PDB file of all heavy atoms in Angstrom:
ATOM      1  N   PHE A   1     105.643  93.810 104.142  1.00  0.00           N
ATOM      2  CA  PHE A   1     104.895  92.745 103.493  1.00  0.00           C
ATOM      3  C   PHE A   1     105.845  91.991 102.574  1.00  0.00           C
ATOM      4  O   PHE A   1     106.924  92.481 102.244  1.00  0.00           O
ATOM      5  CB  PHE A   1     103.719  93.300 102.688  1.00  0.00           C
ATOM      6  CG  PHE A   1     102.657  93.952 103.520  1.00  0.00           C
ATOM      7  CD1 PHE A   1     102.832  95.221 104.039  1.00  0.00           C
ATOM      8  CD2 PHE A   1     101.467  93.279 103.795  1.00  0.00           C
ATOM      9  CE1 PHE A   1     101.853  95.826 104.810  1.00  0.00           C
ATOM     10  CE2 PHE A   1     100.474  93.875 104.564  1.00  0.00           C
ATOM     11  CZ  PHE A   1     100.674  95.142 105.071  1.00  0.00           C
ATOM     12  N   ARG A   2     105.444  90.811 102.159  1.00  0.00           N
ATOM     13  CA  ARG A   2     106.268  90.063 101.216  1.00  0.00           C
ATOM     14  C   ARG A   2     105.389  89.332 100.220  1.00  0.00           C
ATOM     15  O   ARG A   2     104.240  89.005 100.496  1.00  0.00           O
ATOM     16  CB  ARG A   2     107.190  89.085 101.940  1.00  0.00           C
ATOM     17  CG  ARG A   2     106.474  87.903 102.604  1.00  0.00           C
ATOM     18  CD  ARG A   2     107.470  87.074 103.401  1.00  0.00           C
ATOM     19  NE  ARG A   2     106.867  85.866 103.944  1.00  0.00           N
ATOM     20  CZ  ARG A   2     107.484  85.031 104.773  1.00  0.00           C
ATOM     21  NH1 ARG A   2     108.746  85.280 105.153  1.00  0.00           N
ATOM     22  NH2 ARG A   2     106.854  83.951 105.221  1.00  0.00           N
ATOM     23  N   GLN A   3     105.964  89.077  99.065  1.00  0.00           N
ATOM     24  CA  GLN A   3     105.266  88.352  98.021  1.00  0.00           C
ATOM     25  C   GLN A   3     106.203  87.297  97.456  1.00  0.00           C
ATOM     26  O   GLN A   3     107.211  87.628  96.824  1.00  0.00           O
ATOM     27  CB  GLN A   3     104.786  89.286  96.921  1.00  0.00           C
ATOM     28  CG  GLN A   3     103.896  88.601  95.902  1.00  0.00           C
ATOM     29  CD  GLN A   3     103.192  89.592  94.997  1.00  0.00           C
ATOM     30  OE1 GLN A   3     103.634  90.732  94.847  1.00  0.00           O
ATOM     31  NE2 GLN A   3     102.101  89.173  94.400  1.00  0.00           N
ATOM     32  N   ALA A   4     105.867  86.050  97.693  1.00  0.00           N
ATOM     33  CA  ALA A   4     106.641  84.935  97.180  1.00  0.00           C
ATOM     34  C   ALA A   4     106.209  84.622  95.755  1.00  0.00           C
ATOM     35  O   ALA A   4     105.096  84.973  95.343  1.00  0.00           O
ATOM     36  CB  ALA A   4     106.452  83.713  98.073  1.00  0.00           C
ATOM     37  N   PRO A   5     107.064  83.946  94.995  1.00  0.00           N
ATOM     38  CA  PRO A   5     106.702  83.608  93.614  1.00  0.00           C
ATOM     39  C   PRO A   5     105.393  82.836  93.539  1.00  0.00           C
ATOM     40  O   PRO A   5     105.197  81.847  94.250  1.00  0.00           O
ATOM     41  CB  PRO A   5     107.874  82.739  93.150  1.00  0.00           C
ATOM     42  CG  PRO A   5     109.026  83.199  93.982  1.00  0.00           C
ATOM     43  CD  PRO A   5     108.429  83.507  95.323  1.00  0.00           C
ATOM     44  N   GLY A   6     104.488  83.303  92.702  1.00  0.00           N
ATOM     45  CA  GLY A   6     103.220  82.635  92.506  1.00  0.00           C
ATOM     46  C   GLY A   6     102.210  82.809  93.623  1.00  0.00           C
ATOM     47  O   GLY A   6     101.155  82.168  93.591  1.00  0.00           O
ATOM     48  N   LYS A   7     102.502  83.650  94.601  1.00  0.00           N
ATOM     49  CA  LYS A   7     101.607  83.851  95.729  1.00  0.00           C
ATOM     50  C   LYS A   7     101.226  85.315  95.876  1.00  0.00           C
ATOM     51  O   LYS A   7     101.846  86.200  95.285  1.00  0.00           O
ATOM     52  CB  LYS A   7     102.254  83.345  97.023  1.00  0.00           C
ATOM     53  CG  LYS A   7     102.528  81.854  97.035  1.00  0.00           C
ATOM     54  CD  LYS A   7     103.060  81.397  98.378  1.00  0.00           C
ATOM     55  CE  LYS A   7     103.282  79.904  98.398  1.00  0.00           C
ATOM     56  NZ  LYS A   7     103.788  79.440  99.717  1.00  0.00           N
ATOM     57  N   GLU A   8     100.204  85.548  96.678  1.00  0.00           N
ATOM     58  CA  GLU A   8      99.751  86.900  96.950  1.00  0.00           C
ATOM     59  C   GLU A   8     100.619  87.558  98.002  1.00  0.00           C
ATOM     60  O   GLU A   8     101.319  86.893  98.776  1.00  0.00           O
ATOM     61  CB  GLU A   8      98.294  86.891  97.397  1.00  0.00           C
ATOM     62  CG  GLU A   8      97.324  86.346  96.358  1.00  0.00           C
ATOM     63  CD  GLU A   8      97.309  87.176  95.101  1.00  0.00           C
ATOM     64  OE1 GLU A   8      97.283  88.420  95.203  1.00  0.00           O
ATOM     65  OE2 GLU A   8      97.321  86.585  94.005  1.00  0.00           O
ATOM     66  N   ARG A   9     100.566  88.868  98.043  1.00  0.00           N
ATOM     67  CA  ARG A   9     101.312  89.612  99.042  1.00  0.00           C
ATOM     68  C   ARG A   9     100.783  89.299 100.435  1.00  0.00           C
ATOM     69  O   ARG A   9      99.572  89.229 100.655  1.00  0.00           O
ATOM     70  CB  ARG A   9     101.214  91.105  98.750  1.00  0.00           C
ATOM     71  CG  ARG A   9     102.156  91.973  99.573  1.00  0.00           C
ATOM     72  CD  ARG A   9     102.137  93.408  99.069  1.00  0.00           C
ATOM     73  NE  ARG A   9     102.643  93.499  97.704  1.00  0.00           N
ATOM     74  CZ  ARG A   9     102.687  94.626  96.994  1.00  0.00           C
ATOM     75  NH1 ARG A   9     102.253  95.760  97.527  1.00  0.00           N
ATOM     76  NH2 ARG A   9     103.165  94.616  95.769  1.00  0.00           N
ATOM     77  N   ALA A  10     101.701  89.094 101.384  1.00  0.00           N
ATOM     78  CA  ALA A  10     101.338  88.698 102.731  1.00  0.00           C
ATOM     79  C   ALA A  10     101.969  89.626 103.767  1.00  0.00           C
ATOM     80  O   ALA A  10     103.063  90.156 103.558  1.00  0.00           O
ATOM     81  CB  ALA A  10     101.775  87.258 102.996  1.00  0.00           C
ATOM     82  N   PHE A  11     101.283  89.772 104.875  1.00  0.00           N
ATOM     83  CA  PHE A  11     101.761  90.605 105.967  1.00  0.00           C
ATOM     84  C   PHE A  11     102.943  89.960 106.669  1.00  0.00           C
ATOM     85  O   PHE A  11     102.942  88.759 106.935  1.00  0.00           O
ATOM     86  CB  PHE A  11     100.632  90.839 106.972  1.00  0.00           C
ATOM     87  CG  PHE A  11     101.076  91.531 108.229  1.00  0.00           C
ATOM     88  CD1 PHE A  11     101.342  92.888 108.228  1.00  0.00           C
ATOM     89  CD2 PHE A  11     101.231  90.819 109.405  1.00  0.00           C
ATOM     90  CE1 PHE A  11     101.752  93.531 109.385  1.00  0.00           C
ATOM     91  CE2 PHE A  11     101.641  91.448 110.564  1.00  0.00           C
ATOM     92  CZ  PHE A  11     101.906  92.809 110.548  1.00  0.00           C
ATOM     93  N   VAL A  12     103.937  90.771 107.005  1.00  0.00           N
ATOM     94  CA  VAL A  12     105.118  90.310 107.715  1.00  0.00           C
ATOM     95  C   VAL A  12     105.197  90.917 109.111  1.00  0.00           C
ATOM     96  O   VAL A  12     105.294  90.199 110.110  1.00  0.00           O
ATOM     97  CB  VAL A  12     106.405  90.635 106.935  1.00  0.00           C
ATOM     98  CG1 VAL A  12     107.642  90.271 107.756  1.00  0.00           C
ATOM     99  CG2 VAL A  12     106.412  89.902 105.598  1.00  0.00           C
ATOM    100  N   ALA A  13     105.181  92.235 109.201  1.00  0.00           N
ATOM    101  CA  ALA A  13     105.346  92.907 110.481  1.00  0.00           C
ATOM    102  C   ALA A  13     104.901  94.350 110.358  1.00  0.00           C
ATOM    103  O   ALA A  13     104.894  94.917 109.266  1.00  0.00           O
ATOM    104  CB  ALA A  13     106.799  92.842 110.956  1.00  0.00           C
ATOM    105  N   ALA A  14     104.552  94.955 111.492  1.00  0.00           N
ATOM    106  CA  ALA A  14     104.201  96.367 111.513  1.00  0.00           C
ATOM    107  C   ALA A  14     104.627  96.977 112.834  1.00  0.00           C
ATOM    108  O   ALA A  14     104.767  96.274 113.843  1.00  0.00           O
ATOM    109  CB  ALA A  14     102.702  96.572 111.293  1.00  0.00           C
ATOM    110  N   ILE A  15     104.818  98.287 112.830  1.00  0.00           N
ATOM    111  CA  ILE A  15     105.268  99.005 114.006  1.00  0.00           C
ATOM    112  C   ILE A  15     104.529 100.332 114.096  1.00  0.00           C
ATOM    113  O   ILE A  15     104.263 100.985 113.086  1.00  0.00           O
ATOM    114  CB  ILE A  15     106.806  99.205 113.960  1.00  0.00           C
ATOM    115  CG1 ILE A  15     107.339  99.793 115.264  1.00  0.00           C
ATOM    116  CG2 ILE A  15     107.204 100.069 112.757  1.00  0.00           C
ATOM    117  CD1 ILE A  15     108.861  99.702 115.367  1.00  0.00           C
ATOM    118  N   SER A  16     104.181 100.731 115.310  1.00  0.00           N
ATOM    119  CA  SER A  16     103.418 101.948 115.523  1.00  0.00           C
ATOM    120  C   SER A  16     104.264 103.191 115.284  1.00  0.00           C
ATOM    121  O   SER A  16     105.480 103.115 115.091  1.00  0.00           O
ATOM    122  CB  SER A  16     102.836 101.967 116.936  1.00  0.00           C
ATOM    123  OG  SER A  16     103.864 101.923 117.912  1.00  0.00           O
ATOM    124  N   ARG A  17     103.616 104.345 115.328  1.00  0.00           N
ATOM    125  CA  ARG A  17     104.268 105.610 115.000  1.00  0.00           C
ATOM    126  C   ARG A  17     105.570 105.849 115.746  1.00  0.00           C
ATOM    127  O   ARG A  17     106.584 106.243 115.152  1.00  0.00           O
ATOM    128  CB  ARG A  17     103.316 106.776 115.267  1.00  0.00           C
ATOM    129  CG  ARG A  17     102.314 107.021 114.168  1.00  0.00           C
ATOM    130  CD  ARG A  17     101.322 108.120 114.513  1.00  0.00           C
ATOM    131  NE  ARG A  17     101.907 109.251 115.215  1.00  0.00           N
ATOM    132  CZ  ARG A  17     101.371 110.453 115.296  1.00  0.00           C
ATOM    133  NH1 ARG A  17     100.213 110.708 114.683  1.00  0.00           N
ATOM    134  NH2 ARG A  17     101.960 111.412 115.992  1.00  0.00           N
ATOM    135  N   SER A  18     105.527 105.649 117.048  1.00  0.00           N
ATOM    136  CA  SER A  18     106.695 105.919 117.877  1.00  0.00           C
ATOM    137  C   SER A  18     107.561 104.691 118.107  1.00  0.00           C
ATOM    138  O   SER A  18     108.598 104.782 118.769  1.00  0.00           O
ATOM    139  CB  SER A  18     106.256 106.484 119.224  1.00  0.00           C
ATOM    140  OG  SER A  18     105.501 105.536 119.950  1.00  0.00           O
ATOM    141  N   GLY A  19     107.139 103.555 117.591  1.00  0.00           N
ATOM    142  CA  GLY A  19     107.892 102.330 117.767  1.00  0.00           C
ATOM    143  C   GLY A  19     107.553 101.544 119.012  1.00  0.00           C
ATOM    144  O   GLY A  19     108.196 100.527 119.288  1.00  0.00           O
ATOM    145  N   GLY A  20     106.542 101.981 119.755  1.00  0.00           N
ATOM    146  CA  GLY A  20     106.225 101.340 121.010  1.00  0.00           C
ATOM    147  C   GLY A  20     105.468 100.031 120.898  1.00  0.00           C
ATOM    148  O   GLY A  20     105.459  99.238 121.848  1.00  0.00           O
ATOM    149  N   SER A  21     104.824  99.796 119.771  1.00  0.00           N
ATOM    150  CA  SER A  21     104.051  98.577 119.573  1.00  0.00           C
ATOM    151  C   SER A  21     104.444  97.930 118.260  1.00  0.00           C
ATOM    152  O   SER A  21     104.686  98.621 117.271  1.00  0.00           O
ATOM    153  CB  SER A  21     102.549  98.870 119.561  1.00  0.00           C
ATOM    154  OG  SER A  21     102.121  99.389 120.802  1.00  0.00           O
ATOM    155  N   THR A  22     104.496  96.619 118.264  1.00  0.00           N
ATOM    156  CA  THR A  22     104.803  95.858 117.058  1.00  0.00           C
ATOM    157  C   THR A  22     103.856  94.682 116.936  1.00  0.00           C
ATOM    158  O   THR A  22     103.252  94.233 117.917  1.00  0.00           O
ATOM    159  CB  THR A  22     106.249  95.348 117.057  1.00  0.00           C
ATOM    160  OG1 THR A  22     106.460  94.509 118.209  1.00  0.00           O
ATOM    161  CG2 THR A  22     107.236  96.507 117.096  1.00  0.00           C
ATOM    162  N   TYR A  23     103.746  94.170 115.722  1.00  0.00           N
ATOM    163  CA  TYR A  23     102.921  93.007 115.461  1.00  0.00           C
ATOM    164  C   TYR A  23     103.551  92.233 114.320  1.00  0.00           C
ATOM    165  O   TYR A  23     104.059  92.823 113.363  1.00  0.00           O
ATOM    166  CB  TYR A  23     101.488  93.410 115.110  1.00  0.00           C
ATOM    167  CG  TYR A  23     100.530  92.248 115.063  1.00  0.00           C
ATOM    168  CD1 TYR A  23      99.981  91.745 116.231  1.00  0.00           C
ATOM    169  CD2 TYR A  23     100.181  91.651 113.857  1.00  0.00           C
ATOM    170  CE1 TYR A  23      99.106  90.679 116.203  1.00  0.00           C
ATOM    171  CE2 TYR A  23      99.313  90.587 113.817  1.00  0.00           C
ATOM    172  CZ  TYR A  23      98.775  90.099 114.994  1.00  0.00           C
ATOM    173  OH  TYR A  23      97.906  89.042 114.962  1.00  0.00           O
ATOM    174  N   TYR A  24     103.495  90.899 114.424  1.00  0.00           N
ATOM    175  CA  TYR A  24     104.145  90.037 113.447  1.00  0.00           C
ATOM    176  C   TYR A  24     103.198  88.983 112.914  1.00  0.00           C
ATOM    177  O   TYR A  24     102.287  88.533 113.619  1.00  0.00           O
ATOM    178  CB  TYR A  24     105.355  89.334 114.071  1.00  0.00           C
ATOM    179  CG  TYR A  24     106.421  90.274 114.559  1.00  0.00           C
ATOM    180  CD1 TYR A  24     106.412  90.749 115.869  1.00  0.00           C
ATOM    181  CD2 TYR A  24     107.431  90.703 113.712  1.00  0.00           C
ATOM    182  CE1 TYR A  24     107.386  91.620 116.316  1.00  0.00           C
ATOM    183  CE2 TYR A  24     108.409  91.575 114.148  1.00  0.00           C
ATOM    184  CZ  TYR A  24     108.382  92.030 115.453  1.00  0.00           C
ATOM    185  OH  TYR A  24     109.347  92.895 115.895  1.00  0.00           O
ATOM    186  N   GLY A  25     103.442  88.581 111.683  1.00  0.00           N
ATOM    187  CA  GLY A  25     102.754  87.422 111.163  1.00  0.00           C
ATOM    188  C   GLY A  25     103.180  86.172 111.917  1.00  0.00           C
ATOM    189  O   GLY A  25     104.266  86.113 112.501  1.00  0.00           O
ATOM    190  N   ASP A  26     102.323  85.153 111.886  1.00  0.00           N
ATOM    191  CA  ASP A  26     102.560  83.957 112.698  1.00  0.00           C
ATOM    192  C   ASP A  26     103.891  83.273 112.406  1.00  0.00           C
ATOM    193  O   ASP A  26     104.536  82.764 113.313  1.00  0.00           O
ATOM    194  CB  ASP A  26     101.421  82.959 112.493  1.00  0.00           C
ATOM    195  CG  ASP A  26     100.122  83.420 113.113  1.00  0.00           C
ATOM    196  OD1 ASP A  26     100.157  84.306 113.990  1.00  0.00           O
ATOM    197  OD2 ASP A  26      99.063  82.880 112.736  1.00  0.00           O
ATOM    198  N   SER A  27     104.291  83.243 111.167  1.00  0.00           N
ATOM    199  CA  SER A  27     105.517  82.551 110.807  1.00  0.00           C
ATOM    200  C   SER A  27     106.772  83.386 111.030  1.00  0.00           C
ATOM    201  O   SER A  27     107.883  82.873 110.884  1.00  0.00           O
ATOM    202  CB  SER A  27     105.454  82.108 109.340  1.00  0.00           C
ATOM    203  OG  SER A  27     105.410  83.217 108.468  1.00  0.00           O
ATOM    204  N   MET A  28     106.614  84.632 111.387  1.00  0.00           N
ATOM    205  CA  MET A  28     107.736  85.542 111.555  1.00  0.00           C
ATOM    206  C   MET A  28     108.105  85.805 113.005  1.00  0.00           C
ATOM    207  O   MET A  28     109.281  86.033 113.314  1.00  0.00           O
ATOM    208  CB  MET A  28     107.455  86.890 110.883  1.00  0.00           C
ATOM    209  CG  MET A  28     107.340  86.828 109.375  1.00  0.00           C
ATOM    210  SD  MET A  28     105.684  86.251 108.882  1.00  0.00           S
ATOM    211  CE  MET A  28     105.793  86.405 107.104  1.00  0.00           C
ATOM    212  N   GLU A  29     107.130  85.813 113.883  1.00  0.00           N
ATOM    213  CA  GLU A  29     107.375  86.147 115.276  1.00  0.00           C
ATOM    214  C   GLU A  29     108.400  85.196 115.880  1.00  0.00           C
ATOM    215  O   GLU A  29     108.313  83.983 115.741  1.00  0.00           O
ATOM    216  CB  GLU A  29     106.081  86.112 116.075  1.00  0.00           C
ATOM    217  CG  GLU A  29     106.227  86.694 117.473  1.00  0.00           C
ATOM    218  CD  GLU A  29     104.898  87.011 118.116  1.00  0.00           C
ATOM    219  OE1 GLU A  29     103.852  86.639 117.546  1.00  0.00           O
ATOM    220  OE2 GLU A  29     104.893  87.633 119.190  1.00  0.00           O
ATOM    221  N   GLY A  30     109.379  85.772 116.558  1.00  0.00           N
ATOM    222  CA  GLY A  30     110.459  85.007 117.133  1.00  0.00           C
ATOM    223  C   GLY A  30     111.682  84.953 116.250  1.00  0.00           C
ATOM    224  O   GLY A  30     112.776  84.638 116.729  1.00  0.00           O
ATOM    225  N   ARG A  31     111.514  85.234 114.974  1.00  0.00           N
ATOM    226  CA  ARG A  31     112.625  85.241 114.027  1.00  0.00           C
ATOM    227  C   ARG A  31     112.895  86.629 113.466  1.00  0.00           C
ATOM    228  O   ARG A  31     114.042  86.976 113.200  1.00  0.00           O
ATOM    229  CB  ARG A  31     112.364  84.278 112.869  1.00  0.00           C
ATOM    230  CG  ARG A  31     112.181  82.834 113.295  1.00  0.00           C
ATOM    231  CD  ARG A  31     112.120  81.915 112.076  1.00  0.00           C
ATOM    232  NE  ARG A  31     111.006  82.244 111.199  1.00  0.00           N
ATOM    233  CZ  ARG A  31     111.127  82.533 109.898  1.00  0.00           C
ATOM    234  NH1 ARG A  31     112.329  82.522 109.328  1.00  0.00           N
ATOM    235  NH2 ARG A  31     110.058  82.805 109.167  1.00  0.00           N
TER     236      ARG A  31
END
């Protein structure tokens, strides 16, 4: 997760227990 100055904490990315599945926030996927 990340928190920019003056903003609330936001989701960035997550990964499952074994690493087989991932999920990204809209502005992060691809980067």
Side-chain angles (χ1 to χ4, degrees):
F1 294 77
R2 69 185 186 186
Q3 188 168 21
K7 297 185 178 181
E8 298 298 316
R9 191 171 296 177
F11 172 76
V12 174
I15 187 167
S16 61
R17 279 176 39 160
S18 64
S21 297
T22 59
Y23 190 81
Y24 299 91
D26 290 341
S27 65
M28 294 81 176
E29 190 164 8
R31 300 188 299 124

